[in-house]
Amino acid sequence: MPVPIRRLCVALTLCCALIAGTTACGGGKSGTRQSRSADVTAQAATPSPSTSAQKQKFAKTRFVLNAGLAAGATYEWIVKPWKAGKFNKGAHGRKTALVKAGLAGVFTYNRLKAAQKNAQGDPALAKALAPLSAGIAALKGLPAKLRKGDQNAAGSFDDVINKVKDAGKQAGAPVKNQVPSTSQLAKGQ
């Protein structure tokens, strides 16, 4: 069973802190040595909080990443095939295009919800995205419509993505399309 790298880093940091704490306290009584190593361990295990400016900066960055992935997935697997007529009955590769569009729709909804949550960390983004909440929520049922071949669903995705991009641009966080890998698309994250 593979161990996440974050756990390995925390374990390695704690082990190094314990070893450094016990070896740095060479002289003196054993009670002092134990209290010093406990202090070093407590300091190493306590995470330092980010400042509010850093949280806002990271929120904006995460918003741009999530919205960019949503925009890339929408354009690559929903809008392009829609404009090329791949969703029309009798079109070559229609079933594959519809399955990919359905997966991309779920992925897009997931990433837009994450971007919306990230935007709450930045006042300008939160204000810009507030009117789009209903549009993002309306996307929830559209992947099923895409799979059924509803042509209007692709246009709805395109409209919402363009509105999110405009809101990000107005708030100082321009969003660029980032096409996710097929494994990201399949996982929905």
Side-chain angles (χ1 to χ4, degrees):
M1 178 165 91
V3 178
I5 194 143
R6 189 180 330 174
R7 286 187 185 169
L8 290 174
C9 290
V10 170
L12 181 63
T13 304
L14 288 174
C15 289
C16 290
L18 285 172
I19 291 172
T22 56
T23 57
C25 303
K29 297 181 181 178
S30 64
T32 305
R33 203 177 309 149
Q34 288 176 349
S35 66
R36 285 185 188 167
S37 67
D39 290 341
V40 170
T41 305
Q43 289 174 353
T46 306
S48 62
S50 301
T51 65
S52 62
Q54 285 177 329
K55 286 180 183 175
Q56 289 178 359
K57 189 177 191 181
F58 293 142
K60 208 174 241 188
T61 303
R62 289 187 303 230
F63 166 79
V64 169
L65 176 69
N66 284 322
L69 285 169
T74 299
Y75 183 73
E76 186 69 26
W77 288 297
I78 297 174
V79 174
K80 270 176 47 176
W82 174 52
K83 287 182 178 179
K86 295 262 184 173
F87 298 151
N88 296 335
K89 291 190 183 222
H92 180 69
R94 179 176 185 257
K95 286 183 182 181
T96 304
L98 287 173
V99 168
K100 285 182 182 180
L103 287 172
V106 171
F107 180 84
T108 297
Y109 176 74
N110 183 341
R111 293 297 88 203
L112 284 177
K113 289 303 274 184
Q116 190 176 24
K117 186 176 179 183
N118 296 142
Q120 300 306 316
D122 184 67
L125 277 173
K127 188 176 181 182
L129 278 183
L132 301 177
S133 297
I136 293 171
L139 293 180
K140 188 172 186 174
L142 290 179
K145 288 182 181 180
L146 279 172
R147 283 189 219 111
K148 291 178 184 176
D150 184 359
Q151 299 272 334
N152 296 328
S156 298
F157 271 100
D158 196 29
D159 291 342
V160 171
I161 289 294
N162 288 332
K163 288 177 184 176
V164 169
K165 286 171 121 178
D166 289 341
K169 189 176 183 181
Q170 290 173 356
V175 176
K176 295 181 182 177
N177 290 4
Q178 297 178 4
V179 179
S181 67
T182 52
S183 65
Q184 284 177 315
L185 190 67
K187 289 179 186 175
Q189 311 180 18

